[in-house]
Amino acid sequence: MRARNPFYLMAGLYFVLDVVAVALVALVTAGIISPIAGLSWMQVHLLTIGVVTQAIFGTLPGLISRVTAGSTLGTRTAWVTWLLVNGGFVTLLVAMPSGQRTVAAGGALTIFSAVALLLVGLVWQGSRGRDGARISSPFYLSGPVFFLVGIGMALGMLLGWQVPGGYFGLIEAHVHANVWGFLALVVAGVLLDRIPALLGQPLRFPGTVPATGWLLIVGAIGLVVGPWAAILPLTILGIAVYVVGTALLLANLIGTALPARGWTPNLTHLLVAYVWMVVPAVAAPLIVLATGQLPTSRVETAAVAGLVAGWIFQIVIGAFVPGLVREQPGSLDGSWASVVALNLGVLLFWISPLVGERTTATLTAAGYALIVGGSLPPLASLLRQIVASPVSVGDV
Ligand code: HEM
């Protein structure tokens, strides 16, 4: 039996906790239970630091060794990063809801050192590769660099650093560095590597991959520096460059997937996720044009909820849960019911700011309920896999 890597084990446990947190958010939003301190932070970060970061930590060394034909990380390094990232995250889970911001900064610094260690390990692996870095390596290396920057922004928020963009500039730069820098770059590399392999179909436009990488990296830099420095034109330029890079990526993926006869629910999750990723970039300028004002806080709330559930959740379900990345035996194609429920839920988030305040809460609660329902089939398959395999760091 194939051993389960310990990062994946933790990702599975955090996924269970996150679905519980989303269910609690639905109950709070519907007014059935009272608000819980730090619940919104936990719901976002159980998914982002808990599931996504663990899955990426568990996967990247293997992916880098595959693309560079080099060796993988040593067992000791893997366990040290595991301890650092989980120790740091547990500290955050205790400190954030109780408002202990200095302790939380300690947790953030611990995760920072785990990411720095992973990055050093990846560079070392790449330098020992036999056939040099292949096209997807830059995605895998630049992603963690953005994570370090994102944690730097979080430290700024927690310790009250003064920056030109103020606290909200820091939040925006944090979200952009982590979601559009760290997560999206790593995911782009994974999709460009694994989708052709899984579909048995060569990449449709391989020559565009380096340009895709550069456009995403340069766009993400604009999206981080713009809000941090309070330079709106830089943020807008960053969005424009980023959207072009994403369009190139999607053209390549859809061009590769269309001729193949293996269109599955999980592939649909991955591709539709990109629609929800681009929606805020398109919606914000449209709202400014139509109303002459920046989006209201209700639209911002819908945008964050839609990005987390529509983009991050679907990437987790489509790419990480079934083992698309690692081609585990018995990996599932996914469930069409999940595709429908999750995307309907996100659609309700986006409709909610357009209606009256009371209906907004009902629609948002219904959106969260649909997301919980849509998460159950992948959650069940993940739990089955976790229970079925012993834990070993050997194949990290
Ligand atoms: C060490 C890692 C991290 C720390 C310490 C951290 C900390 C924080 C803090 C302090 C906030 C602001 C909370 C507030 O004032 O409302 C925040 C917001 C946010 N973070 Fe993180 N974060 C981390 C990693 C991540 C990652 C990896 C992602 C995504 C991939 C992410 C996505 C977000 C999002 C979307 C928000 C906005 C939530 C909202 O507005 O409701 N964070 N984070």
Side-chain angles (χ1 to χ4, degrees):
M1 187 187 299
R2 187 173 181 151
R4 170 77 40 222
N5 117 16
F7 290 103
Y8 268 43
L9 179 71
M10 296 312 289
L13 295 179
Y14 290 131
F15 191 53
V16 175
L17 292 180
D18 194 49
V19 174
V20 173
V22 178
L24 289 175
V25 172
L27 294 175
V28 170
T29 315
I32 297 170
I33 59 171
S34 325
I36 299 170
L39 180 62
S40 148
W41 185 89
M42 282 203 279
Q43 179 242 317
V44 171
H45 292 82
L46 277 167
L47 184 68
T48 55
I49 309 178
V51 184
V52 172
T53 304
Q54 305 276 342
I56 288 177
F57 266 69
T59 308
L60 268 188
L63 282 172
I64 287 265
S65 77
R66 252 193 251 185
V67 295
T68 61
S71 52
T72 188
L73 276 192
T75 305
R76 200 178 308 153
T77 316
W79 275 115
V80 172
T81 50
W82 185 89
L83 278 174
L84 286 173
V85 78
N86 283 290
F89 187 38
V90 170
T91 308
L92 280 171
L93 284 177
V94 174
M96 286 301 291
S98 54
Q100 301 176 64
R101 295 181 86 81
T102 317
V103 178
L109 268 178
T110 312
I111 298 180
F112 186 97
S113 36
V115 181
L117 187 61
L118 175 80
L119 198 56
V120 171
L122 295 179
V123 171
W124 173 83
Q125 270 187 279
S127 67
R128 288 166 59 102
R130 279 198 301 278
D131 54 356
R134 277 237 327 262
I135 46 179
S136 48
S137 306
F139 293 89
Y140 299 145
L141 295 178
S142 55
V145 173
F146 274 102
F147 193 11
L148 292 177
V149 174
I151 298 176
M153 301 295 157
L155 283 172
M157 286 187 267
L158 293 169
L159 301 175
W161 293 345
Q162 301 299 316
V163 305
Y167 189 82
F168 289 104
L170 278 173
I171 290 200
E172 223 178 300
H174 169 75
V175 175
H176 293 174
N178 283 326
V179 178
W180 291 7
F182 169 50
L183 176 55
L185 275 163
V186 174
V187 167
V190 169
L191 296 179
L192 288 168
D193 264 343
R194 305 313 304 147
I195 284 208
L198 281 169
L199 297 177
Q201 199 71 20
L203 206 53
R204 180 72 183 80
F205 309 110
T208 61
V209 174
T212 306
W214 280 114
L215 287 166
L216 293 181
I217 291 171
V218 171
I221 292 174
L223 277 160
V224 175
V225 178
W228 182 89
I231 305 174
L232 188 59
L234 190 57
T235 312
I236 293 173
L237 192 67
I239 293 181
V241 174
Y242 201 90
V243 168
V244 177
T246 305
L248 270 188
L249 172 71
L250 286 183
N252 224 343
L253 296 179
I254 294 173
T256 309
L258 272 184
R261 288 219 202 102
W263 198 277
T264 62
N266 280 330
L267 202 53
T268 313
H269 276 306
L270 293 174
L271 295 179
V272 179
Y274 277 90
V275 174
W276 297 120
M277 182 208 222
V278 177
V279 163
V282 176
L286 282 182
I287 291 169
V288 175
L289 277 180
T291 64
Q293 289 174 338
L294 281 171
T296 62
S297 65
R298 281 165 73 202
V299 176
E300 273 172 34
T301 308
V304 172
L307 188 72
V308 172
W311 149 246
I312 305 182
F313 230 79
Q314 296 210 82
I315 290 292
V316 165
I317 290 174
F320 293 121
V321 172
L324 181 152
V325 169
R326 301 175 61 84
E327 300 160 285
Q328 284 146 357
S331 76
L332 297 177
D333 287 342
S335 129
W336 287 113
S338 278
V339 173
V340 174
L342 273 167
N343 289 294
L344 207 57
V346 180
L347 192 65
L348 291 189
F349 288 155
W350 274 103
I351 296 174
S352 66
L354 311 175
V355 294
E357 201 119 338
R358 263 184 77 87
T359 325
T360 299
T362 313
L363 285 184
T364 309
Y368 278 119
L370 279 167
I371 283 156
V372 174
S375 309
L376 295 181
L379 190 64
S381 73
L382 187 74
L383 288 179
R384 271 199 303 274
Q385 287 184 20
I386 288 176
V387 170
S389 349
V391 178
S392 154
V393 82
D395 63 345
V396 169

